[in-house]
Amino acid sequence: MHQINQPMMLADLLESQLSRPATTRERFRLPFSKEDTVRVLLAGVKAEVERRDKTFIMREAIMSQAGQIAEWLTGNHSKFGLMLCGGCGNGKTTFVKAFQQILNKLDMKIDDSTERYSIRIVNARDLARVCKEDYDERRGLCYKRMLAIDDFGTEPLEVMDYGNVLYPITELLTTRYDRHLFTILTTNLTPSEIRPRYGDRIADRLNDMMGKVIFANSTYRTP
């Protein structure tokens, strides 16, 4: 009788364990209200613009973009990535750099450790070089807690390394998707252009992990 019940008891145990909610890393959120996050984002954008010896002008588009980004940074939702989409020179990278400066100023500890929150910004084109030349850096980017990839879509889809075909952006995004790692992309691609370029597998993962903010305004860069 004991031998008959043992598989049943094991099945009950497995069912109980599998029914428990999975333990996942809590998504990062700024410790502010949405309204206060808009304020600090705009202050950061203004500082970035003035750092380039330009004059910051508050525009309706900037207010809208700041509001959407602030919602993502403070909201109670499952998206652990953010994609900023739009044409050249319309403020996407400036917002990412503003967020980077906010983190640097906050000097927030990660849990109870001595490590602080920070975000690395890397240009997508540099990923091809890193993928080919520096395995340790490539692995570090894949697993970095917070990462921003600027100009997503400008990188080669594959690179050759002594006869081996490597897929820099595909491998990196797959790893970050699987581990629910905080990731920001800026891109000139429209959402409809991503699937033909990267295929269903990456497009579906990006849809699942990424909130989207569309930068529909024209370039701020003047001749």
Side-chain angles (χ1 to χ4, degrees), residues 127-144 147 159 161 166-168 171-172:
L127 290 175
R129 176 193 58 78
V130 170
C131 184
K132 187 173 182 179
E133 298 177 4
D134 194 330
Y135 173 81
D136 289 338
E137 185 177 2
R138 182 182 79 183
R139 181 175 174 81
L141 291 174
C142 285
Y143 292 96
K144 187 166 181 59
L147 180 68
V159 296
D161 183 30
L166 305 176
Y167 302 92
E171 294 168 359
L172 182 144

Side-chain angles (χ1 to χ4, degrees), residues 56-85:
F56 175 76
I57 301 173
M58 185 65 72
R59 303 175 191 270
E60 185 177 345
I62 295 174
M63 287 293 297
S64 174
Q65 292 150 5
Q68 292 176 74
I69 294 170
E71 173 64 33
W72 180 75
L73 286 170
T74 60
N76 185 23
H77 54 80
S78 62
K79 301 288 187 181
F80 53 92
L82 181 68
M83 185 183 299
L84 308 182
C85 308

Side-chain angles (χ1 to χ4, degrees), residues 36-52 56 58 62 66 91 93-103 105:
D36 285 343
T37 300
V38 169
R39 287 173 52 209
V40 296
L41 275 174
L42 292 174
V45 168
K46 182 175 184 290
E48 285 297 321
V49 170
E50 293 176 347
R51 190 172 288 118
R52 296 195 293 269
F56 175 76
M58 185 65 72
I62 295 174
T93 303
T94 301
F95 266 103
V96 177
K97 290 182 177 179
F99 173 65
Q100 184 184 53
Q101 291 305 312
I102 290 167
L103 282 183
K105 296 291 185 183

